[in-house]
Amino acid sequence: VQLQASGGGLVQPGGSLRLSCTASGFTLDYYAVAWFRQAPGKAREGVSCVNSKDGSTYYAESVKGRFTFSRDNVGNTVSLRMDSLKAEDTAIYYCASLHSSECGDNWKATRRYDYWGQGTLVTVSS
């Protein structure tokens, strides 16, 4: 069972990136999936979470309106489209899956997640 995050890189402020998270060994269709990020010297924080059944999506206030989380169940992949990037978005981004179909109100609690990807670095800098 594995999650593989990819798509990070260096981008200028105001630019865009698309992160992907691909699962192997299990099917993402049945589980809620989230993105977290961790900036240097800071705690890991929830960015977004999407339910498996109804597709309801949750976002941190800091990324609302700029980030879009989508499920592409073909290929067992989910994506995070990040637009209007800011320097404060610089972090390692991780995808994680819940052993539940719904994110729930406490989707930002890292202890709830069963599987984690290895992380992909996003650097926003001019």
Side-chain angles (χ1 to χ4, degrees), residues 26-116:
F26 71 109
T27 303
L28 280 178
D29 294 12
Y30 305 121
Y31 304 108
V33 184
W35 285 95
F36 286 79
R37 67 186 181 185
Q38 188 165 18
K42 294 189 177 180
R44 194 168 295 190
E45 62 174 359
V47 174
S48 182
C49 187
V50 63
N51 290 350
S52 67
K53 291 183 179 178
D54 63 12
S56 296
T57 311
Y58 304 82
Y59 295 97
E61 283 299 320
S62 58
V63 306
K64 230 175 241 188
R66 300 189 297 121
F67 289 13
T68 305
F69 195 169
S70 59
R71 301 185 72 106
D72 172 9
N73 292 329
V74 175
N76 215 19
T77 298
V78 296
S79 299
L80 183 70
R81 170 77 180 186
M82 305 186 296
D83 296 313
S84 303
L85 282 161
K86 305 175 182 179
E88 51 264 43
D89 295 318
T90 294
I92 298 174
Y93 284 71
Y94 301 88
C95 57
S97 65
L98 270 173
H99 200 70
S100 170
S101 61
E102 296 187 352
C103 300
D105 291 338
N106 59 340
W107 65 270
K108 295 181 183 178
T110 57
R111 66 183 183 280
R112 294 186 60 213
Y113 292 82
D114 302 294
Y115 302 114
W116 291 82

